[in-house]
Amino acid sequence: MPNLRVALAQTNPRLGDFEANSAQIVADTVTAFAQGADLVVFGEMALSGYPIEDLAVRPEFLSRALTCMTELAVTLAQAGCGDIPVIVGFPSVSMREHGSSLSENPSAIAHNSAAVLYGGAVVGVYNKHHLPNYGVFDEYRNFLPGVGHLLVRIREVDVAILICEDIWRDGGACDELERIQPGLVVVLNGSPFEQDKDDVRLPLVARRAHAVGAPFAYLNLVGGQDDLVFDGDSFIVDEHGVVLARAASFEPDIVVCDLLLATHENRTNLTRDCVAVTCGDGNSQHPPLTVSVDQTPSDERARVWSALVVGLRDYVEKNGFPSVILGLSGGIDSAVCAALAVDALGPSRVVGVSMPSKWSSDHSQSDAHDAAQRLGIVLLHEPIAHVVEPVEQQLDLTGIAAENLQARMRGVILMGLSNMHGHLVLTTGNKTEIAVGYSTIYGDSVGGFAPIRDVPKTMVWDLARWRNDEARRRGETPPIPDNSISKPPSAELRPDQKDQDSLPEYGELDALLDAYITRRMGRDEVVALGFKPDIVDRMIALVDRAEWKRRQGAIGPKISGMAFGRDRRLPVTFYRS
Amino acid sequence: MPNLRVALAQTNPRLGDFEANSAQIVADTVTAFAQGADLVVFGEMALSGYPIEDLAVRPEFLSRALTCMTELAVTLAQAGCGDIPVIVGFPSVSMREHGSSLSENPSAIAHNSAAVLYGGAVVGVYNKHHLPNYGVFDEYRNFLPGVGHLLVRIREVDVAILICEDIWRDGGACDELERIQPGLVVVLNGSPFEQDKDDVRLPLVARRAHAVGAPFAYLNLVGGQDDLVFDGDSFIVDEHGVVLARAASFEPDIVVCDLLLATHENRTNLTRDCVAVTCGDGNSQHPPLTVSVDQTPSDERARVWSALVVGLRDYVEKNGFPSVILGLSGGIDSAVCAALAVDALGPSRVVGVSMPSKWSSDHSQSDAHDAAQRLGIVLLHEPIAHVVEPVEQQLDLTGIAAENLQARMRGVILMGLSNMHGHLVLTTGNKTEIAVGYSTIYGDSVGGFAPIRDVPKTMVWDLARWRNDEARRRGETPPIPDNSISKPPSAELRPDQKDQDSLPEYGELDALLDAYITRRMGRDEVVALGFKPDIVDRMIALVDRAEWKRRQGAIGPKISGMAFGRDRRLPVTFYRS
């Protein structure tokens, strides 16, 4: 007989918008309660949004979070959900002394916490033990580590709480639960999407569930926040590794699942480091639920595409932009960005601009028109020759300076249209060109958001082909012109220019960059993979020298194991001897 | 009788340039040895430069550092300095197991260390205990904490080693020395300049010296590295707070000082956590030295000016730029930036560009010419009217869009000249306008380096007046036109525009921003200081909304307690309810 009905509520919080996030938590709890849930769990920092970065050291922000959490408990009770515990992530002011031994940051005053709301009050708080301080995470900068455990007792079932990094670290908070023996462990996460990370999460959590001897409910946030995309995909896995429930990827969802859990009567006593709050008898009993778990493995390209769409959509929506604008060159990068934008926002909120120069080929203009037509978006035509010419003549620009001038005048045009009409400018550079600095700063790099900045060139082509196939499968028009996919890439800043005039073939280049950047190999290790030493040296030098440009680049969604930006922090001034 | 002659060698390392840094260490050691030094101490990471950021997790970089350190020991011995210990900071691969308990970063493999070189070998290594992970520092991200102490025994004197943060934390590595009772403590630092920090360092170190009961030799790096400026100002203070020696500020220096130190015969035994290396008898005895300590308090504006000059000079020199170029508007910001550039590089390496528009006043052009003449720099004249017009007409730009267009065309001109001639473009925005977003992105914000990005507007005026007074004092031409200092500030992007049309008076604005940004006050706290609530709300909203622009801004020297950039990490997408 199932003895606990658990609801995983996967929300998309807006950072700092406590009112809207609270309202969503209430709405989801009411829905789950109506389905007979005995317990509702929300994600890491679901109340505030995540990551809050240095807002964590602002007393004003923390005080607001606490007030809102207290009010939320009352509101939930008023909404008739006071009889079931609701677990919600939030930043909490530490009650402990701020001794220097607690942190490497004397300014840190908060924990990354989960509140247990019950009967109209906050009845318990669990503080995250392990604070990731690598990759995109700065949690040891912003938070104090927690100690001890909190059990939520619902009808004799002890539910333990962990937060994200707690399950990724051996010998820590999660291992301690092996002694405590809860009946269920809920894990609140703000775990950003990364390619292939999905293959890691489930086996890890299954292993933890096996070790603790209890099911684990893994609850992730969903939605975009600056450069991060939370992919949802929450699940419950039992101690034998069986997936009992699974939520949607990349969209909000509520999953309710009946569980048969061990009760605490047979368990060890509580200790000073492990306290319990009793949360009544739960919901009235309902007939057992049947949950079907979709076991279809999703295509990795589909997941990446979704991450890019969600990252773009949430940046636009959460920052209140009415529309986006981007240059359509007829090339693959801008065609893919336009397709992403249309998938994210619909065609009426996307504006393309064709900005041919005297070096633009006929096909670049026809391909841009083709893309716009396939997508159903407006295409403006703003040729640049007669705005480029006066500057070129006045300054007597030649060579690279003249090439860059064309890109910069396009930037001026896009920003002018943005300033007039309120569009967010999308910059269409891919990860490969951002890596080697193959772009014009203040030219094609202008924009507030860079949808494919973490997508290597070869993957841009893959995604384009996949998206077109997907359209054909659905009986729709493929959104990306085949010619944009098949033609040799060119910046078209001088006659007959091709990317491969100055760069290795993209397949080779992306493999080299993956080794140097994502896998952090040294020069000799990269050479040992079989790349020509002179090419390795030249490409590494390009990457290192382009750091100053990357520092001034727009943010965009991280989809790889190592994105540029806060994931990879390197000096600009750096001599490679 | 003095029993130890100590040399503090304050160097300006180039990050990653192990050869050049080693050569400097050898040269300085030879100089100090010739002056009879028994011990030579260099700064934190003097071998590699500092901060190395994520280079600390690259095995290739660490292995190179170790090789160079080993070679350095041999070279020093070959140079005849093998008989005295030399202490040098460097990143060292940890010899300990990389257990998760050591760090919040599973990728960390290195310590922030000091090597003791003696007799042609590395005879000991001390690892920094406390890893700052706040402000501009990410050391808990990049390093593993050290444990235990290392004593360098020179003629019966026990010299203990600490590194930077070790002295800033109570209850840690420095306090442990109270039990160990060394005869001297040397502290290797990479401590960036901040206004008024000087007032904190000396009292802190004096207090530590008193507690430990031994003199402290505080050794700081010097020079600029990206956004940080190390100000040198190394000193030795005894246990009574008397300053025995002091090195130059903002330039390399070697200070040699005779000390009378307690010997280790009367001390407690060594323990497992405290080992000693015996480094012979030191140098042959020389006649006692007389050291005079300059007690003149330096003007804070002089120190800030020096920090800005060094930050700019080292960015230019370490990145190999032949020259800099900047727009000279006739306003105070560009005039001050030009004066800084001339102080840093000399007039022949600075190019000014006057880019009047149809809204430019006569005085703006004459003031720009006056500034160029005072500084002895080339001034190019590139009017923008006929390059602005074609774009304005083609896109039908009006209002803010038309204003921004003018700033962007100036950016296009500066970047064109930079691309043609190799100049580094300086962007002249001050901290106040960067705070409230009062600039045109891809317009006046273009450039690789922003000399005054951390200087509030009111301080720009102060510095200008101080620099002119300084020139008069030296009998030189004041470099900044009086008119640029006295006239009301204006962007001159439309007729009769003044900054104060849309912003509060700068004295009030800077005070408000100091409260909100540097002192991290909440909205209500700022209001409680006496500012009008509607102005506070409007200014805070401007600051929060400008985060996306700041993310794309050029780096520049930090001089305040809270600079924009890695010192203050906040989300772009952030809803202020």
Side-chain angles (χ1 to χ4, degrees):
Chain A
M1 270 295 84
N3 54 356
L4 213 65
R5 183 167 291 180
V6 175
L8 306 184
Q10 180 174 289
T11 62
N12 181 355
R14 185 177 179 194
L15 204 143
D17 195 349
F18 293 104
E19 279 72 17
N21 300 339
S22 292
Q24 188 63 53
I25 291 168
V26 173
D28 285 3
T29 302
V30 168
T31 302
F33 186 81
Q35 293 180 46
D38 298 307
L39 167 69
V40 189
V41 188
F42 290 86
E44 181 174 15
M45 297 276 178
L47 185 71
S48 57
Y50 178 79
I52 60 171
E53 306 186 44
D54 285 0
L55 294 169
V57 297
R58 290 196 189 177
E60 180 193 39
F61 189 82
L62 300 172
S63 139
R64 194 152 167 64
L66 184 59
T67 306
C68 287
M69 188 60 93
T70 312
E71 288 169 2
L72 177 59
V74 174
T75 309
L76 285 172
Q78 285 166 347
C81 304
D83 293 341
I84 58 165
V86 178
I87 302 176
V88 182
F90 81 121
S92 76
V93 178
S94 175
M95 302 294 165
R96 296 157 63 192
E97 278 182 69
H98 304 133
S100 59
S101 61
L102 285 180
S103 172
E104 298 300 322
N105 180 4
S107 308
I109 51 175
H111 292 294
N112 178 333
S113 304
V116 182
L117 310 183
Y118 178 70
V122 178
V123 296
V125 172
Y126 170 80
N127 301 320
K128 187 177 187 177
H129 287 206
H130 301 290
L131 301 171
N133 206 56
Y134 54 86
V136 298
F137 302 110
D138 275 316
E139 292 210 3
Y140 217 73
R141 171 184 176 90
N142 289 325
F143 295 106
L144 297 165
V147 291
H149 288 277
L150 174 70
L151 297 177
V152 183
R153 297 198 147 162
I154 314 165
R155 281 208 306 274
E156 311 295 302
V157 175
D158 281 350
V159 179
I161 302 171
L162 296 174
I163 302 178
C164 207
E165 188 75 2
D166 289 340
I167 57 166
W168 291 86
R169 297 283 292 275
D170 291 322
C174 192
D175 291 357
E176 288 162 19
L177 295 181
E178 295 175 27
R179 176 179 54 75
I180 293 168
Q181 294 190 289
L184 171 69
V185 180
V186 297
V187 191
L188 284 65
N189 298 272
S191 181
F193 173 76
E194 264 175 34
Q195 276 177 277
D196 308 321
K197 198 176 189 179
D198 209 44
D199 300 341
V200 183
R201 284 180 193 149
L202 179 57
L204 170 77
V205 178
R207 183 160 62 80
R208 297 297 190 198
H210 181 76
V212 173
F216 270 51
Y218 178 98
L219 194 286
N220 195 12
L221 296 175
V222 72
Q225 169 61 31
D226 286 352
D227 54 335
L228 303 183
V229 179
F230 303 100
D231 55 331
D233 201 16
S234 304
F235 59 85
I236 301 178
V237 63
D238 75 9
E239 57 272 43
H240 310 295
V242 177
V243 178
L244 304 175
R246 191 149 202 167
S249 291
F250 298 108
E251 54 190 75
D253 198 3
I254 305 176
V255 170
V256 182
C257 179
D258 282 336
L259 300 174
L260 178 56
L261 304 169
T263 54
H264 67 79
E265 288 139 319
N266 312 321
R267 305 201 174 283
T268 53
N269 286 328
L270 300 177
T271 64
R272 203 167 58 101
D273 284 345
C274 179
V275 298
V277 288
T278 301
C279 292
D281 290 336
N283 216 315
S284 54
Q285 290 296 293
H286 294 257
L289 283 171
T290 310
V291 178
S292 69
V293 180
D294 182 3
Q295 302 285 3
T296 326
S298 62
D299 189 303
E300 191 61 26
R301 291 166 303 176
R303 293 182 62 79
V304 169
W305 189 271
S306 294
L308 299 174
V309 166
V310 168
L312 171 53
R313 179 193 296 140
D314 277 358
Y315 188 85
V316 170
E317 301 294 13
K318 292 178 178 178
N319 287 294
F321 289 99
S323 49
V324 299
I325 191 168
L326 75 169
L328 273 188
S329 69
I332 184 66
D333 295 329
S334 58
V336 164
C337 285
L340 286 166
V342 169
D343 281 1
L345 306 166
S348 66
R349 296 174 69 189
V350 180
V351 177
V353 191
S354 168
M355 295 176 282
S357 76
K358 57 182 170 182
W359 307 125
S360 296
S361 57
D362 290 343
H363 65 74
S364 71
Q365 294 184 62
S366 57
D367 292 341
H369 280 271
D370 187 12
Q373 204 158 36
R374 286 163 180 271
L375 293 165
I377 64 173
V378 166
L379 182 70
L380 305 177
H381 186 68
E382 302 291 356
I384 63 167
H386 66 286
V387 294
V388 164
E389 214 166 274
V391 185
E392 199 172 76
Q393 285 178 359
Q394 178 169 335
L395 301 179
D396 205 13
L397 299 183
T398 57
I400 299 272
E403 293 182 29
N404 283 336
L405 172 62
Q406 299 168 56
R408 291 204 178 103
M409 291 313 301
R410 292 188 175 115
V412 166
I413 288 171
L414 288 174
M415 292 306 299
L417 294 169
S418 164
N419 287 163
M420 282 302 286
H421 307 291
H423 313 299
L424 168 69
V425 176
L426 301 181
T427 173
T428 62
N430 63 66
K431 187 177 194 174
T432 309
E433 68 185 39
I434 291 169
V436 296
Y438 198 79
S439 69
T440 300
I441 192 163
Y442 321 126
D444 47 305
S445 71
V446 309
F449 198 75
I452 58 171
R453 77 190 289 273
D454 199 30
V455 184
K457 186 78 177 187
T458 47
M459 192 191 290
V460 175
W461 278 309
D462 276 351
L463 289 174
R465 284 188 209 99
W466 171 85
R467 182 64 185 81
N468 276 0
D469 288 346
E470 192 63 13
R472 285 184 201 103
R473 200 179 58 80
R474 295 189 216 151
E476 295 165 2
T477 308
I480 297 151
D482 286 327
N483 201 35
S484 298
I485 301 176
S486 57
K487 68 184 174 186
S490 165
E492 295 198 333
L493 295 173
R494 55 184 145 84
D496 297 324
Q497 184 180 30
K498 296 280 175 292
D499 291 8
Q500 263 55 65
D501 299 344
S502 46
L503 294 175
E505 187 272 318
Y506 275 117
E508 182 186 358
L509 179 55
D510 280 351
L512 193 163
L513 294 174
D514 181 63
Y516 181 60
I517 295 165
T518 312
R519 295 151 73 197
R520 285 177 166 163
M521 286 186 176
R523 182 260 182 202
D524 294 347
E525 290 172 287
V526 178
V527 170
L529 293 177
F531 298 99
K532 284 196 191 131
D534 63 317
I535 291 183
V536 172
D537 289 333
R538 196 155 58 86
M539 292 305 115
I540 285 183
L542 288 177
V543 172
D544 289 351
R545 278 209 302 265
E547 185 59 31
W548 81 277
K549 280 194 198 180
R550 285 190 290 269
R551 290 281 189 100
Q552 297 192 30
I555 59 173
K558 167 183 161 80
I559 57 134
S560 77
M562 178 69 75
F564 292 121
R566 54 179 158 170
D567 213 1
R568 182 177 186 269
R569 303 178 192 176
L570 289 172
V572 172
T573 303
F574 166 39
Y575 179 82
R576 170 172 286 278
S577 47
Chain B
M1 271 294 85
N3 55 356
L4 212 65
R5 183 166 292 180
V6 176
L8 306 184
Q10 181 174 288
T11 61
N12 181 354
R14 185 177 180 194
L15 203 143
D17 195 349
F18 293 103
E19 280 72 18
N21 300 340
S22 292
Q24 188 63 54
I25 290 167
V26 172
D28 285 3
T29 302
V30 167
T31 302
F33 186 81
Q35 292 181 47
D38 297 307
L39 168 68
V40 189
V41 188
F42 290 85
E44 181 174 14
M45 298 275 178
L47 185 71
S48 57
Y50 178 80
I52 61 171
E53 307 187 43
D54 285 1
L55 294 170
V57 297
R58 290 197 189 176
E60 181 194 38
F61 189 83
L62 299 172
S63 140
R64 195 152 166 63
L66 184 60
T67 305
C68 287
M69 188 60 93
T70 312
E71 288 168 3
L72 176 60
V74 173
T75 309
L76 285 172
Q78 285 166 347
C81 304
D83 293 340
I84 58 165
V86 178
I87 301 176
V88 182
F90 79 121
S92 76
V93 178
S94 174
M95 301 294 165
R96 295 157 65 192
E97 278 183 68
H98 304 132
S100 58
S101 61
L102 286 180
S103 170
E104 298 299 323
N105 180 3
S107 308
I109 51 175
H111 292 295
N112 178 334
S113 305
V116 182
L117 310 183
Y118 177 71
V122 178
V123 296
V125 172
Y126 170 80
N127 300 319
K128 187 177 186 175
H129 287 204
H130 301 290
L131 302 170
N133 205 56
Y134 53 85
V136 298
F137 302 110
D138 276 316
E139 292 210 3
Y140 217 73
R141 172 185 176 90
N142 289 324
F143 295 107
L144 297 165
V147 291
H149 288 277
L150 174 69
L151 298 177
V152 183
R153 298 198 146 161
I154 313 164
R155 280 209 306 275
E156 311 294 303
V157 176
D158 281 350
V159 179
I161 302 172
L162 296 174
I163 302 178
C164 208
E165 189 76 3
D166 289 339
I167 58 166
W168 292 84
R169 297 283 291 277
D170 290 323
C174 192
D175 290 357
E176 288 162 19
L177 295 181
E178 295 175 26
R179 177 180 51 75
I180 293 169
Q181 295 190 287
L184 171 69
V185 180
V186 297
V187 191
L188 283 66
N189 299 273
S191 181
F193 174 75
E194 265 176 34
Q195 277 178 273
D196 308 321
K197 198 175 190 180
D198 208 43
D199 299 341
V200 183
R201 283 181 194 149
L202 179 57
L204 170 76
V205 178
R207 183 160 63 80
R208 296 298 190 197
H210 181 75
V212 173
F216 270 51
Y218 179 98
L219 195 286
N220 195 13
L221 296 175
V222 73
Q225 168 62 31
D226 286 352
D227 53 336
L228 303 183
V229 179
F230 303 99
D231 55 332
D233 200 15
S234 305
F235 59 85
I236 302 178
V237 64
D238 75 10
E239 59 271 43
H240 310 296
V242 178
V243 178
L244 305 175
R246 192 148 201 168
S249 291
F250 298 107
E251 54 189 74
D253 198 5
I254 305 176
V255 170
V256 182
C257 179
D258 283 335
L259 300 174
L260 178 56
L261 304 168
T263 54
H264 68 78
E265 288 139 319
N266 311 322
R267 306 199 173 284
T268 54
N269 286 327
L270 299 177
T271 65
R272 203 167 59 100
D273 284 344
C274 179
V275 297
V277 288
T278 302
C279 292
D281 289 336
N283 216 315
S284 53
Q285 291 295 293
H286 294 257
L289 284 171
T290 311
V291 178
S292 69
V293 180
D294 182 5
Q295 302 285 4
T296 327
S298 62
D299 188 303
E300 190 62 25
R301 292 167 302 178
R303 292 181 62 79
V304 169
W305 188 270
S306 294
L308 298 175
V309 167
V310 168
L312 171 53
R313 179 194 295 141
D314 277 358
Y315 188 84
V316 170
E317 301 294 14
K318 291 179 179 178
N319 287 293
F321 288 100
S323 49
V324 299
I325 191 168
L326 75 169
L328 274 188
S329 69
I332 184 67
D333 295 329
S334 58
V336 165
C337 285
L340 285 165
V342 169
D343 281 0
L345 306 165
S348 65
R349 295 173 69 188
V350 181
V351 177
V353 191
S354 169
M355 295 175 283
S357 75
K358 56 182 171 182
W359 308 124
S360 296
S361 57
D362 290 342
H363 66 73
S364 71
Q365 294 184 60
S366 58
D367 292 341
H369 279 272
D370 186 11
Q373 203 157 37
R374 287 163 180 271
L375 293 166
I377 64 172
V378 166
L379 182 70
L380 305 177
H381 186 69
E382 302 290 354
I384 63 167
H386 66 285
V387 295
V388 164
E389 214 165 275
V391 185
E392 199 171 77
Q393 285 178 358
Q394 178 169 334
L395 300 179
D396 205 12
L397 299 183
T398 56
I400 298 272
E403 293 182 29
N404 283 337
L405 172 62
Q406 299 167 57
R408 290 204 178 103
M409 290 313 301
R410 292 188 175 115
V412 166
I413 289 171
L414 288 174
M415 291 307 298
L417 294 169
S418 164
N419 288 163
M420 282 303 286
H421 306 292
H423 314 299
L424 168 70
V425 176
L426 301 181
T427 173
T428 63
N430 62 66
K431 188 177 192 174
T432 309
E433 68 184 38
I434 291 169
V436 295
Y438 198 79
S439 69
T440 299
I441 191 163
Y442 322 126
D444 47 305
S445 71
V446 309
F449 199 75
I452 58 171
R453 77 190 290 272
D454 199 30
V455 184
K457 186 79 177 186
T458 47
M459 193 192 290
V460 175
W461 278 309
D462 275 352
L463 289 174
R465 284 189 209 97
W466 170 85
R467 182 64 186 82
N468 276 359
D469 288 347
E470 193 63 12
R472 286 185 201 101
R473 199 179 59 78
R474 295 190 215 152
E476 296 166 2
T477 308
I480 297 150
D482 286 328
N483 201 35
S484 298
I485 301 176
S486 57
K487 68 185 175 186
S490 165
E492 295 198 332
L493 295 173
R494 56 184 145 84
D496 297 324
Q497 184 181 29
K498 297 280 174 293
D499 292 8
Q500 263 55 66
D501 298 345
S502 48
L503 294 175
E505 187 272 319
Y506 276 116
E508 181 185 358
L509 179 54
D510 280 351
L512 192 162
L513 294 174
D514 181 63
Y516 182 59
I517 295 165
T518 313
R519 294 151 73 195
R520 284 177 167 163
M521 286 186 175
R523 182 261 181 202
D524 294 347
E525 290 172 287
V526 178
V527 170
L529 293 177
F531 298 99
K532 285 197 190 129
D534 63 317
I535 291 183
V536 173
D537 290 333
R538 196 155 58 85
M539 292 305 116
I540 285 183
L542 287 178
V543 172
D544 290 351
R545 278 210 301 266
E547 185 60 29
W548 80 277
K549 280 195 198 179
R550 286 191 289 270
R551 289 281 189 100
Q552 297 192 29
I555 58 174
K558 167 184 162 79
I559 57 134
S560 77
M562 179 69 76
F564 292 121
R566 54 179 158 170
D567 213 1
R568 182 177 185 271
R569 304 178 191 175
L570 289 172
V572 172
T573 303
F574 166 39
Y575 180 82
R576 170 172 284 277
S577 47

